[in-house]
Amino acid sequence: MSNRSIVSISDYSKEKIQYLLDMSAEMERHPNRRILQGKVVATLFFEPSTRTRLSFETAANRLGARVIGFSDPKATSSSKGETLKDTIKMVSNYADVIVMRHSLEGAALYASEVTDTPIINAGDGSNLHPSQTMLDLYSIYKTQGRLDNLNIYMVGDLKYGRTVHSLLMSMCKYSPTFHFIAPKELEMPMEYKEYCAARGVKFVEQRDFTSETIADADIIYMTRVQRERFTDLMEYERVKDAYILRRDMLCNCRENMKILHPLPRVNEIERDIDDSPHAYYFQQAGNGLFAREALICDVLGITLDDLRNDTSII
């Protein structure tokens, strides 16, 4: 089946990404409007979420849509053995767009193939997280004034971190230099290093995490070591505190450097960094509203011109 689903944005052209950035900026100028009056957005979260679910639901509400869905699969028919296919086809009868998070890699792609209702992938296992990528790109663009030729440092859980996988695939279009900083157990998977190599994108793998290591960073993308992805808790305990960003490590940083984090944070960024001019993770989370408003409108066929000519702005 063919629809306007967003499973990954890695195949989007630079022109399409810029278009979505422009849509996000338009949403930031006027986040409250009624352009989706009469539409229904279903949020199906088979896996726990706070920021992603709430920002999608807030985006839908601020655009005038109604929201249905669930945040606990135990309260749905999937707990009775209903298949994902049956759940998606059933919800498709009620909604104009489905936002879905699932623990299985490939679940969003599968859902997009069994319905004509647009699916927005809100994270599938340790695979991809395109809406997070869009807000990350918007945050980078806002803080750096460009996406091209940046030094991007990815730190922490690079093995299971779907946010870094998605961001890597999109940023490869913009000639970055990546620095992958992770313990051996959590290093960037080979498939993503091969993805960079095939596109001539430079990357460096490092174990050290010091003020000297990060001195040339434009963006430091910190990640949480995800306990829920480990089957061996001893391995988790061994690596959970591998990299902690401390305020004294920022002494040699570039003035333009910003610290991003998909959140939630545990202890990988010390709290006294929060008031540093380099800290941008809470603003980054706020940008999620505008990026997700743009994505919902885009899959529903609403254009940037429609937004600019919208008379329903509140």
Side-chain angles (χ1 to χ4, degrees), residues 151 153 213-220 253-254 256-258:
N151 286 327
Y153 284 59
T213 306
I214 62 175
D216 292 331
D218 296 306
I219 296 292
I220 297 177
C253 284
R254 292 179 174 180
N256 66 296
M257 188 277 285
K258 296 298 180 185

Side-chain angles (χ1 to χ4, degrees), residues 43-285:
T43 54
L44 310 185
F45 280 73
F46 294 89
E47 190 179 50
S49 169
T50 301
R51 277 148 296 278
T52 302
R53 180 175 64 85
L54 291 179
S55 64
F56 264 118
E57 292 183 354
T58 301
N61 280 307
R62 287 188 181 276
L63 294 173
R66 293 180 179 272
V67 178
I68 63 172
F70 57 81
S71 59
D72 182 1
K74 294 179 182 176
T76 73
S77 292
S78 63
S79 65
K80 303 175 184 177
E82 183 174 63
T83 65
L84 177 59
K85 177 181 179 181
D86 286 0
T87 298
I88 294 299
K89 292 186 78 67
M90 180 272 298
V91 175
S92 296
N93 292 319
Y94 311 140
D96 298 287
V97 57
I98 295 172
V99 179
M100 188 182 82
R101 169 170 287 191
H102 204 284
S103 61
L104 296 179
E105 295 183 19
L109 176 61
Y110 175 74
S112 73
E113 292 172 344
V114 300
T115 181
D116 286 326
T117 300
I119 302 289
I120 299 179
N121 180 9
D124 59 333
S126 58
N127 189 28
L128 298 172
H129 198 346
S131 72
Q132 178 72 43
T133 301
M134 200 61 236
L135 76 90
D136 290 344
L137 292 174
Y138 187 50
S139 297
I140 294 170
Y141 187 69
K142 282 181 65 177
T143 61
Q144 305 301 312
R146 70 187 201 279
L147 293 177
D148 291 298
N149 302 307
L150 295 172
N151 286 327
I152 310 290
Y153 284 59
M154 295 178 168
V155 184
D157 182 359
L158 308 187
K159 179 178 181 180
Y160 300 111
R162 59 193 169 199
T163 61
V164 294
H165 300 161
S166 283
L167 182 60
L168 177 150
M169 295 173 75
S170 294
M171 283 299 301
C172 274
K173 296 176 172 63
Y174 297 94
S175 303
T177 297
F178 287 121
H179 294 252
F180 302 143
I181 303 178
K184 185 170 180 56
E185 298 91 333
L186 295 175
E187 66 184 20
M188 186 67 73
M190 182 59 68
E191 63 186 284
Y192 296 104
K193 290 185 279 189
E194 291 175 348
Y195 189 92
C196 290
R199 289 155 180 79
V201 171
K202 294 179 287 186
F203 65 88
V204 178
E205 293 189 272
Q206 298 167 275
R207 300 279 185 249
D208 292 336
F209 187 47
T210 65
S211 60
E212 291 75 20
T213 306
I214 62 175
D216 292 331
D218 296 306
I219 296 292
I220 297 177
Y221 198 97
M222 297 295 298
T223 66
R224 170 178 66 95
V225 176
Q226 303 172 81
R227 186 175 187 272
E228 63 272 24
R229 304 292 178 206
F230 284 79
T231 55
D232 183 348
L233 290 183
M234 292 292 288
E235 182 183 4
Y236 167 74
E237 290 294 328
R238 198 162 51 246
V239 300
K240 68 175 184 177
D241 295 324
Y243 299 109
I244 298 175
L245 184 60
R246 298 181 172 85
R247 192 171 184 116
D248 60 9
M249 294 171 62
L250 306 180
C251 58
N252 296 320
C253 284
R254 292 179 174 180
E255 185 176 347
N256 66 296
M257 188 277 285
K258 296 298 180 185
I259 304 161
L260 303 185
H261 192 306
L263 302 178
R265 164 180 61 178
V266 182
N267 64 344
E268 58 277 0
I269 301 175
E270 290 195 338
R271 266 58 180 178
D272 63 356
I273 288 180
D274 292 355
D275 61 359
S276 163
H278 296 293
Y280 195 76
Y281 28 91
F282 293 122
Q283 297 96 316
Q284 173 192 3

Side-chain angles (χ1 to χ4, degrees), residues 20-33 59 62-63 134-135 137-143 280 282-295 304 307 313-314:
L20 290 172
L21 293 174
D22 292 342
M23 286 189 77
S24 300
E26 176 62 25
M27 289 302 190
E28 184 168 5
R29 282 188 286 272
H30 302 290
N32 299 307
R33 47 181 92 212
R62 287 188 181 276
L63 294 173
M134 200 61 236
L135 76 90
L137 292 174
Y138 187 50
S139 297
I140 294 170
Y141 187 69
K142 282 181 65 177
T143 61
Y280 195 76
F282 293 122
Q283 297 96 316
Q284 173 192 3
N287 289 335
L289 171 64
F290 316 126
R292 288 173 174 131
E293 284 186 325
L295 292 175
L304 180 56
L307 295 177
I313 294 171
I314 299 173

